[in-house]
Amino acid sequence: MEFTIKRSEFFKGLQSAQGVADTKGAIPILSHILIEAISKDPSGIWIYATDLNVGIKGFYKASVKSGGRFTVNARKLFDIVRELSEEDVHISEVQGLQYQDAGEQPGLHREAQAEGLWLNLVCGNYNTRLSGLPFDEFPPFPSYGDDYLIKFDPLQLSDMVKKTIFSVSADETRYTLNGTLLEAEDDTIKMVSTDGHRLSYIKRKNPRKVDKKLSVIIPRKTTAELLKLAETWSEQGKSDDEAVFFSMYENHMVFRKGNFVLVSRVIDGQFPGYDTVIPSNNDKRIIVNRELFIRALKRVSLLSDEKSKMVKFKIGKDMELISDTAGIGEAKERIDIKYGGEEVIIGLNAKYLIDVLTAADSDEIFFDIKDPSSPTLFKPSNDDDYKCVIMPMRLQ
């Protein structure tokens, strides 16, 4: 195997792959990526990575002198290429150790030493050699076809993931909450996430009408990798209208855009019913400037309790934000609002609210309340199909 590739193109591929490779696992091959060089037109390389639950592959243009396959440690190669100058990178597979002293080298995988699995990298005046593992140990990539269930615009996908990912539960014991619910029915797509204390919901149009309702939970790690990819794809989407397609095959899901594919196992189980959690009768609406609100909240929350992150909201003619933590101090700030109802005081987790305000992209936020003990509803003033629910905290 031998090829030459632009450093920026190579780095792009390695950046996507190293987030998936299992660098801390007990199976050595999963900490490696598989590079497959293709000499036929179009000439280039495929880069594969997997942790057995999530897998990615992408095709990158390169000048290939001879094809072949090779595995190499994902993190080491990524760290090296990150520091290289913007010159072409020349990669070649080297047979044998080719050292002056060809004896056993300490710290190297014995199979690599015995079989001479070495990758040589040259960029400008820099030269390095990395050992690999037999490529036939690398897990096969799951099969998939060209049919699809959902067609995303890259900007749409990026927006939907960004506005729901922060509510995914990190509690491993609540398995079905460790991911984002993706639903498709008729011509509608929904994404929902919750950790039991807050919930994010977004609904958008699906260009393709589905015949049968789809409901699948995307695991947390997959959601995180999808966000990285979707943000990259959305940047490309400014000059590239190629869609992102979603499909299901056996026990895995597939997101693909052109020559890039993300596959993942699904989370088995029933996602909690979310429709009953989203309040429909919160009769007290506060309208507040988003930028003004988030800046004040960040300042006041600096003196909130480290564990609870609670900030009190005293709502009347204006809104006063209050934090008071014993042994630390207190902070208060008033901001202008639009509200004509009775005075109400409510306590909320400041971090949860900052996440919501950061994800929203309107000038004004609707803050809907029923009473101090009922779920609060937040939504942008310009988008009725994006909603976030935060459970209030007990006031002392």
Side-chain angles (χ1 to χ4, degrees):
M1 181 182 74
E2 185 175 358
F3 63 88
T4 301
I5 187 170
K6 290 184 179 297
R7 182 262 175 196
S8 58
E9 184 79 353
F10 199 27
F11 182 71
K12 181 172 63 176
L14 297 174
Q15 192 171 35
S16 298
Q18 64 90 26
V20 172
D22 188 7
T23 57
K24 298 180 180 179
I27 305 175
I29 194 65
L30 299 184
S31 66
H32 286 46
I33 58 170
L34 173 66
I35 300 175
E36 182 178 18
I38 307 294
S39 57
K40 65 181 181 181
D41 190 34
S43 174
I45 62 169
W46 286 95
I47 298 179
Y48 299 80
T50 183
D51 66 359
L52 297 183
N53 291 312
V54 186
I56 63 169
K57 72 171 185 176
F59 184 79
Y60 304 91
K61 293 180 180 180
S63 175
V64 179
K65 185 175 181 180
S66 60
R69 290 182 289 175
F70 195 93
T71 71
V72 64
N73 184 279
R75 171 58 67 177
K76 289 296 183 184
L77 185 57
F78 170 76
D79 288 342
I80 289 169
V81 175
R82 179 176 55 189
E83 301 302 328
L84 295 178
S85 59
E86 285 298 335
E87 299 181 65
D88 288 350
V89 178
H90 182 76
I91 299 285
S92 59
E93 185 178 356
V94 180
Q95 295 297 322
L97 295 179
Q98 296 186 5
Y99 279 98
Q100 290 182 351
D101 179 7
E104 185 174 284
Q105 300 297 313
L108 298 178
H109 194 284
R110 289 186 178 275
E111 293 183 46
Q113 296 179 65
E115 300 182 24
L117 300 176
W118 290 88
L119 193 72
N120 197 62
L121 182 152
V122 177
C123 181
N125 294 324
Y126 179 78
N127 189 320
T128 190
R129 185 171 294 161
L130 297 169
S131 64
L133 297 176
F135 63 76
D136 55 6
E137 291 184 6
F138 199 85
F141 201 80
S143 60
Y144 60 93
D146 291 332
D147 56 318
Y148 65 93
L149 298 170
I150 302 175
K151 180 180 179 181
F152 290 99
D153 175 270
L155 287 167
Q156 177 195 59
L157 179 60
S158 174
D159 185 59
M160 294 184 74
V161 177
K162 182 183 70 173
K163 289 181 176 177
T164 53
I165 191 171
F166 54 83
S167 296
V168 175
S169 175
D171 185 354
E172 298 294 342
T173 65
R174 309 188 72 180
Y175 189 60
T176 56
L177 302 187
N178 291 156
T180 303
L181 176 69
L182 172 63
E183 283 189 341
E185 187 172 16
D186 295 329
D187 62 348
T188 299
I189 317 168
K190 298 177 184 176
M191 281 190 179
V192 187
S193 64
T194 181
D195 61 7
H197 303 287
R198 53 180 169 171
L199 179 145
S200 299
Y201 164 99
I202 190 166
K203 180 174 70 174
R204 293 293 184 256
K205 286 292 184 180
N206 181 8
R208 179 180 183 179
K209 187 174 182 179
V210 296
D211 299 326
K212 184 180 179 181
K213 183 178 179 179
L214 166 73
S215 183
V216 62
I217 305 175
I218 308 171
R220 185 176 59 193
K221 179 175 178 179
T222 308
T223 307
E225 292 304 318
L226 184 60
L227 178 59
K228 296 176 190 175
L229 295 173
E231 289 178 337
T232 300
W233 290 339
S234 64
E235 286 296 316
Q236 295 171 349
K238 294 176 180 178
S239 58
D240 177 11
D241 60 0
E242 192 169 26
V244 180
F245 298 99
F246 172 86
S247 54
M248 293 288 300
Y249 293 91
E250 298 177 346
N251 66 339
H252 62 271
M253 65 186 77
V254 180
F255 290 88
R256 58 185 174 86
K257 180 181 184 294
N259 286 326
F260 198 97
V261 181
L262 170 71
V263 299
S264 171
R265 293 183 184 273
V266 301
I267 291 180
D268 294 324
Q270 186 68 37
F271 196 83
Y274 59 85
D275 288 332
T276 56
V277 177
I278 301 175
S280 58
N281 59 348
N282 285 13
D283 55 356
K284 300 177 180 64
R285 168 162 288 181
I286 300 97
I287 303 175
V288 57
N289 178 274
R290 186 182 72 91
E291 286 295 329
L292 185 68
F293 196 8
I294 195 171
R295 288 200 301 269
L297 184 56
K298 285 181 176 179
R299 287 189 288 266
V300 173
S301 65
L302 291 173
L303 292 179
S304 64
D305 180 76
E306 284 294 325
K307 186 175 181 181
S308 70
K309 302 293 184 183
M310 188 179 78
V311 170
K312 296 178 184 178
F313 300 84
K314 186 176 181 180
I315 302 164
K317 293 182 180 179
D318 54 23
M319 180 161 64
E320 185 176 21
L321 287 63
I322 306 166
S323 64
D324 186 355
T325 306
I328 297 178
E330 64 177 29
K332 297 180 180 180
E333 184 166 347
R334 293 179 181 272
I335 59 174
D336 293 331
I337 59 172
K338 298 175 184 177
Y339 176 63
E342 61 186 27
E343 183 176 289
V344 61
I345 301 175
I346 192 168
L348 295 171
N349 183 304
K351 180 184 182 304
Y352 292 171
L353 186 48
I354 289 171
D355 287 341
V356 172
L357 297 174
T358 302
D361 49 16
S362 67
D363 292 335
E364 290 185 324
I365 295 291
F366 292 160
F367 179 1
D368 294 347
I369 302 173
K370 181 181 180 182
D371 55 58
S373 60
S374 298
T376 56
L377 179 66
F378 295 87
K379 57 185 179 180
S381 61
N382 62 355
D383 186 0
D384 195 50
D385 291 327
Y386 177 48
K387 304 172 183 179
C388 294
V389 179
I390 300 178
M391 298 301 296
M393 307 179 77
R394 183 178 298 176
L395 296 172
Q396 297 180 352

